[in-house]
Amino acid sequence: MGSPPVSGKVLVIGLGPGSDAQVTPEALAAAGEASDFLGYKPYIDRLSLRPDQTAHASDNREELARARHALELAAEGKTVAVVSGGDPGVFAMAAAVCEAIEHGPAAWRELELRVVPGVTAMLAVAARIGAPLGHDFCAISLSDNLKPWELIERRLRLAAQAGFVMAFYNPISRARTWQLGRAFEILREELPASVPVVFGRAAGRADERMAVTPLGEARAEQADMATCVIVGSPETRIIERPGLDALVYSPRFARPSA
C-alpha cells in the first residue's frame, strides 16, 4: 500500500506594513484557519490568537529553518500559518517556503500551499507621499547577506541608467551601516542631484515619518531598519502645495532617451 495522502496546509500570510487598517480581510480569514503560527515574534504579536492556536516565534534571520518547521508541522496534518510583515512574496517568507519545498522531502510537495498577499512597504510609502511608482519601477534589497555587494552595485547602476524608480528594502541595520551611503554615492554618479529621495519610516503606524530629500543631499543617517527608501527617476516630480504636504509622483509617460 502507498503512503496516505498528506492532509496538512501551509498558509503564508502578509500582515502589511504595521497598521491594523492595512491588514486585508483575506489575511485575517486565513489566520482564523490556522492551528499553529510561525514567524518573527513582533509579527505574530500583531495577531490576537485564540486559546487553541499556538505561536512558534523565532528570530527574523531564521527564515529557512522556520519554513522547514512549518512544513514539518503541516506534514503532521496541521494547518500552519507562516506570518510575514508586508507582502510575504516580497523579500519575505513565501520564497523561503518554496525553497524548503524544493529541497525537502517529496511529501512536502503534496501539501497545500496558499500565499496570502499583503500591502508591502513600498506601496504604503508610495501611497502616503503621492505616486512615485506611477511609472516603471523596481525593488532592490540592499542587504548583502544573501548576495554579493558587487551584484547590488551593478543592479543599482543599471536600474538608474534604465530610468527606473527604485524602492530600497533593508537599507540599513546595526550590522550593515555603510551600504545605503554607498548606494547614494553610486546613484549620484548616474542621476541628477535633484532626483527626489523619499524616506518612508513606519508607514501607517503611530510613529510614521516621511521625508523627501534631493539625491544630492540624501544621507544614510536619514534611514533606519523601519524605513523604506524610494529613489525617483529623472522624470519624477514634486508638486508643492501651500499648507499641505508636497506630492511626489512619476508621470505615466516617459520621454525617449537622448
Side-chain angles (χ1 to χ4, degrees):
M1 296 178 61
S3 300
V6 178
S7 60
K9 182 189 304 183
V10 178
L11 310 171
V12 191
I13 302 173
L15 297 180
S19 168
D20 289 345
Q22 293 173 331
V23 181
T24 68
E26 183 184 8
L28 292 174
E33 299 177 32
S35 63
D36 292 77
F37 290 77
L38 288 85
Y40 185 40
K41 187 176 185 301
Y43 298 154
I44 295 179
D45 287 346
R46 291 175 54 193
L47 294 167
S48 298
L49 300 187
R50 303 188 306 262
D52 63 318
Q53 293 177 315
T54 302
H56 307 266
S58 54
D59 186 86
N60 203 30
R61 295 166 294 182
E62 299 175 3
E63 290 91 347
L64 194 54
R66 182 185 306 139
R68 290 173 178 144
H69 187 193
L71 291 160
E72 289 167 355
L73 292 174
E76 297 172 3
K78 295 182 177 182
T79 297
V80 183
V82 180
V83 179
S84 280
D87 181 282
V90 180
F91 303 118
M93 283 303 303
V97 172
C98 289
E99 181 181 344
I101 290 172
E102 181 182 11
H103 299 288
W108 287 358
R109 301 191 180 208
E110 301 176 31
L111 293 167
E112 180 181 343
L113 172 66
R114 177 155 36 112
V115 179
V116 180
V119 178
T120 190
M122 67 179 177
L123 299 181
V125 172
R128 177 65 182 81
I129 206 73
L133 308 180
H135 198 60
D136 296 343
F137 67 90
C138 64
I140 299 175
S141 171
L142 295 188
S143 172
D144 55 352
N145 290 335
L146 299 176
K147 61 180 181 286
W149 178 254
E150 293 76 13
L151 177 59
I152 297 173
E153 287 204 6
R154 181 169 180 266
R155 289 176 174 173
L156 289 171
R157 290 190 186 279
L158 292 175
Q161 292 168 11
F164 287 111
V165 173
M166 287 169 266
F168 293 161
Y169 282 73
N170 306 310
I172 201 163
S173 72
R174 286 186 292 269
R176 295 179 293 98
T177 58
W178 58 268
Q179 284 86 342
L180 180 58
R182 176 58 183 150
F184 287 149
E185 290 176 0
I186 293 167
L187 295 181
R188 281 192 279 265
E189 296 173 7
E190 305 289 345
L191 294 171
S194 59
V195 163
V197 178
V198 178
F199 294 87
R201 185 187 187 282
R205 305 206 305 250
D207 55 341
E208 174 186 291
R209 186 173 67 247
M210 299 286 155
V212 182
T213 305
L215 176 60
E217 301 173 17
R219 298 292 179 267
E221 294 76 18
Q222 295 174 258
D224 63 11
M225 290 185 289
T227 304
C228 180
V229 179
I230 298 179
V231 179
S233 74
E235 308 286 343
T236 303
R237 302 178 184 180
I238 299 177
I239 304 173
E240 299 293 347
R241 303 187 298 165
L244 297 171
D245 293 337
L247 293 175
V248 180
Y249 88 106
S250 298
R252 295 172 295 117
F253 56 84
R255 294 189 298 268
S257 301

